[in-house]
């Protein structure tokens, strides 16, 4: 680890050496802290660097203005001044301590005077290490190096004090377990379990941001399992623990909770099919939420089986409600809920009986989420029956090849009627209104059913529909 730190600091020297000398010349202390130090010990490099200093914000801002390409002070109330120089993004924060009172959603901030005091307020020992500058001396007052070597998350002080100061740290424990693949110390898990309800005082936006980082991490199953086992998920994502439906000897259905986590992992394994690759939050969160409608739609049958009719529609509504509560953007909500609502559509395909019309509608309904729907649908197969799994894979291969063929022939991604709105109004002598919309919809349905039509055929079909509509209205 010492060699890794030395190598990382050599790479960062243009920034760390300059800043260390700059603050020292002003009579102030400066140290590289937190994630960059931890990741340096893991052999990872950062261009986002966090520093702690004895300097107050006004002094920090003055020093950074003379050094950086740009500076900003949006975090001033928390003691943080930011700067950018070249490719490096730097945040320098005054030594501080912070805590929540019993009802506040925002921490109160008091500036401190020592590096050790500042490190002691941090979330976990692996994030409570520093490298003082200049001189590049490692400071590790809480045993973070040993915990890092053992892959263990512990708090610098008691976990109860840490989580009382900032309840979001419980979410961060799950997130770091997912990001680093680390275990969480038993006393930390027990404190999370005992204090889970305190997460309610943290803003939805902060909870959402931690959840996104967890889901996008390399090992999200670790973090999600920890949220469920400690009861935190009951407060931040209650739909997930609700999937752990009780089983009995008379009713047969797969473990929906474990199935969901497996679908998530299989979706991650398929992310190379997506245009942007991964990690892809929308695809992963849709996998996590795709079956949340099952508990509300479960029905027991006389033959011992269990049904979950319409759980796709119910699940989409539940997903929308949860994502709104967590303050996700409208675009993210629309994308995830569309995938949840459509995740069963493929199973109506049977062994390949869909008409071209049905394939067109599948593509139209999926819209810009088609690639993600392919991933989710394939990931949703968790059967241990190899013959069944192979059959489902071959069937989906077939529908994808048909989509590709029709896309080449008909530009499926932008399916529109063969006449536009202006042509419709001219042919029927109409002004903009409901009749034009109805005509447009009729031609779109024809396009879906029969594929592209010539302008002559589309015109004849429109006029015939219009005459029939007028006769019906007259009747």
């Amino acid at each position: 680890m010492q060699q890794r730190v030395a190598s990382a600091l050599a790479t960062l020297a243009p920034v760390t050496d300059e800043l260390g000398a700059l603050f020292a010349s002003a009579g102030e202390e400066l140290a590289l802290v937190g994630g960059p130090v931890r990741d340096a010990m893991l052999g990872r490099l950062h261009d986002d660097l966090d520093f702690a200093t004895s300097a107050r914000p006004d002094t920090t801002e003055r020093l950074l203005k003379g050094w950086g390409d740009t500076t900003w002070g949006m975090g001033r109330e928390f003691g943080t001044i930011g700067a950018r120089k070249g490719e490096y993004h730097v945040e320098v924060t005054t030594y501080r301590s912070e805590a929540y009172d019993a009802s506040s959603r925002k921490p109160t901030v008091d500036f401190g005077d020592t590096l050790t005091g500042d490190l002691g307020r941090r979330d976990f020992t692996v994030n409570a290490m520093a490298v003082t500058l200049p001189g590049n001396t490692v400071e590790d007052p809480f045993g973070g190096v040993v915990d890092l070597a053992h892959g263990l998350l512990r708090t610098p002080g008691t976990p109860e004090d840490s989580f009382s100061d900032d309840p979001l740290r419980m979410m961060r424990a799950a997130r770091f377990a997912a990001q680093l693949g680390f275990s969480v110390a038993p006393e930390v898990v027990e404190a999370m379990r005992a204090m889970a309800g305190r997460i309610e005082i943290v803003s939805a936006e902060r909870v959402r941001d931690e959840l996104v980082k967890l889901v996008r991490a390399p090992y999200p199953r670790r973090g999600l399992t920890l949220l469920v086992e400690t009861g935190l998920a009951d407060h931040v994502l209650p739909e997930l623990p609700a999937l752990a439906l009780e089983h009995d000897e008379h009713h047969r259905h797969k473990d929906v909770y474990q199935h969901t986590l497996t679908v998530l992992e299989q979706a991650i394994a398929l992310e190379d099919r997506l245009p942007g690759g991964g990690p892809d939050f929308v695809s992963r969160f849709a996998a996590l939420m795709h079956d949340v409608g099952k508990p509300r739609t479960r029905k027991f049958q006389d033959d011992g089986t269990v049904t979950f009719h319409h759980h796709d529609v119910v699940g989409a509504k539940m997903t929308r409600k949860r994502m709104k509560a967590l303050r996700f953007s409208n675009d993210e909500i629309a994308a995830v809920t569309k995938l949840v609502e459509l995740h069963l559509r493929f199973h109506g395909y049977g062994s390949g009986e869909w008409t071209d019309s049905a394939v067109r509608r599948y593509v139209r309904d999926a819209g810009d989420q088609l690639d993600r729907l392919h991933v989710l649908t394939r990931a949703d197969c968790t059967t241990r029956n190899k013959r069944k799994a192979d059959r489902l894979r071959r069937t989906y291969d077939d529908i994808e090849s048909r989509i590709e063929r029709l896309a080449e022939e008909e530009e499926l991604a932008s399916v529109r009627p063969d006449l536009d709105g202006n042509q419709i109004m001219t042919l029927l002598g109409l002004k903009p209104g409901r009749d034009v919309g109805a005509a447009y919809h009729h031609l779109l349905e024809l396009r879906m059913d029969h594929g592209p039509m010539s302008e002559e055929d589309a015109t004849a079909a429109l006029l015939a529909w219009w005459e029939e509509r007028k006769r019906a209205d007259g009747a």
Side-chain angles (χ1 to χ4, degrees), residues 356 360 403-412 447 452:
D356 283 353
R360 292 187 193 101
I403 289 172
E404 185 176 351
R405 174 179 61 79
L406 285 172
E408 291 176 356
E409 296 173 358
E410 305 179 17
E411 298 182 3
L412 281 185
R447 173 73 169 77

Side-chain angles (χ1 to χ4, degrees), residues 73-84:
M74 288 184 292
R76 178 184 295 274
E77 64 177 310
F78 299 109
T80 301
I81 305 296
R84 178 175 292 280

Side-chain angles (χ1 to χ4, degrees), residues 27 32 53 88 90 136 209 213 258 263 265-266 277 307 376 390 416 453 455 460:
L32 183 68
T53 183
Y88 291 99
V90 167
N136 295 345
D209 290 347
K213 292 173 184 177
Q258 293 299 332
V263 171
E265 291 182 323
Q266 293 185 169
T307 64
L376 177 58
D390 288 344
R416 293 179 176 83
M453 301 170 66
E455 182 175 343

Side-chain angles (χ1 to χ4, degrees), residues 55-372:
R56 293 305 189 252
D58 287 345
T59 301
T60 297
E61 185 173 38
R62 174 174 56 81
L63 294 172
L64 290 181
K65 277 186 175 180
W67 172 81
D69 300 327
T70 58
T71 60
W72 56 90
M74 288 184 292
R76 178 184 295 274
E77 64 177 310
F78 299 109
T80 301
I81 305 296
R84 178 175 292 280
K85 187 165 186 178
E87 63 184 295
Y88 291 99
H89 174 281
V90 167
E91 289 191 346
V92 182
T93 303
T94 303
Y95 296 155
R96 67 188 188 187
S97 60
E98 62 186 34
Y100 283 83
D101 63 32
S103 59
S104 174
R105 285 179 177 268
K106 295 183 178 180
T108 57
V109 175
D110 294 317
F111 295 139
D113 298 311
T114 67
L115 176 60
T116 298
D118 183 85
L119 296 177
R121 70 163 186 87
R122 294 177 181 267
D123 50 11
F124 303 104
T125 60
V126 296
N127 296 328
M129 299 179 287
V131 177
T132 57
L133 305 166
N136 295 345
T137 300
V138 175
E139 298 290 338
D140 180 24
F142 303 103
V145 170
V146 174
D147 289 340
L148 196 64
H150 287 91
L152 185 67
L153 291 173
R154 286 191 310 112
T155 53
T158 68
E160 290 79 8
D161 286 345
S162 181
F163 299 155
S164 179
D165 287 346
D166 185 352
L168 190 68
R169 290 172 176 169
M170 294 184 287
M171 288 289 296
R172 287 168 66 84
R175 190 248 290 185
F176 282 122
Q179 284 184 330
L180 302 173
F182 283 11
S183 300
V184 181
E187 69 273 15
V188 175
V189 174
E190 285 306 311
M192 292 171 67
R193 187 173 287 119
M195 301 177 69
R198 190 158 167 73
I199 197 69
E200 297 282 355
I201 72 168
V202 181
S203 70
E205 290 83 357
R206 295 184 74 206
V207 170
R208 174 202 65 207
D209 290 347
E210 287 298 324
L211 185 61
V212 169
K213 292 173 184 177
L214 188 162
V215 171
R216 286 171 51 86
Y219 315 104
R221 188 170 191 149
R222 279 178 174 263
L224 293 167
T225 299
L226 184 61
L227 290 182
V228 171
E229 291 179 348
T230 58
L232 270 169
D234 293 333
H235 301 277
V236 301
L237 195 65
E239 295 80 6
L240 184 59
L243 293 174
L245 303 173
E246 67 272 11
H247 292 254
D248 62 55
E249 62 185 23
H250 302 295
H251 298 104
R252 303 187 298 276
H253 61 87
K254 68 174 65 177
D255 186 324
V256 183
Y257 171 66
Q258 293 299 332
H259 163 76
T260 294
L261 296 180
T262 300
V263 171
L264 170 60
E265 291 182 323
Q266 293 185 169
I268 292 171
L270 292 169
E271 282 181 334
D272 60 351
R273 289 173 166 263
L274 299 176
D280 182 73
F281 173 77
V282 168
S283 177
R284 294 185 182 196
F285 201 62
L288 191 62
M289 302 295 284
H290 78 285
D291 273 349
V292 295
K294 281 190 170 180
R296 293 190 182 180
T297 58
R298 183 172 59 161
K299 295 288 187 294
F300 299 115
Q301 305 300 305
D302 293 339
D303 63 358
T305 59
V306 179
T307 64
F308 303 97
H309 294 314
H310 307 301
H311 76 267
D312 46 347
V313 177
V314 172
K317 292 179 180 178
M318 294 171 63
T319 298
R320 180 179 298 278
K321 182 177 180 180
R322 177 56 49 200
M323 293 185 75
K324 281 187 174 181
L326 289 170
R327 305 291 194 272
F328 279 96
S329 71
N330 290 336
D331 287 346
E332 289 171 311
I333 294 172
V336 174
T337 53
K338 178 181 283 189
L339 291 168
V340 172
E341 186 169 0
L342 294 178
H343 82 274
L344 288 182
R345 183 73 65 86
F346 158 72
H347 294 284
Y349 190 67
S351 301
E353 294 88 355
W354 276 9
T355 62
D356 283 353
S357 171
V359 175
R360 292 187 193 101
R361 294 173 192 281
Y362 187 76
V363 174
R364 180 193 64 179
D365 292 347
D368 59 359
Q369 299 306 313
L370 182 62
D371 290 320
R372 286 175 170 141

Side-chain angles (χ1 to χ4, degrees), residues 379-440:
D380 196 22
C381 175
T382 60
T383 179
R384 295 181 181 179
N385 184 321
K386 188 175 183 303
R387 291 181 61 185
K388 182 178 180 181
D390 288 344
R391 178 177 57 78
L392 288 170
R393 176 183 53 76
R394 288 193 303 270
T395 304
Y396 207 79
D397 286 344
D398 178 66
I399 192 174
E400 282 200 66
S401 66
R402 290 183 63 190
I403 289 172
E404 185 176 351
R405 174 179 61 79
L406 285 172
E408 291 176 356
E409 296 173 358
E410 305 179 17
E411 298 182 3
L412 281 185
S414 57
V415 170
R416 293 179 176 83
D418 297 288
L419 300 175
D420 63 25
N422 289 327
Q423 290 172 302
I424 291 171
M425 288 188 287
T426 298
L427 287 167
L428 302 184
L430 297 174
K431 294 181 179 180
R434 291 183 179 180
D435 285 339
V436 177
Y440 187 94

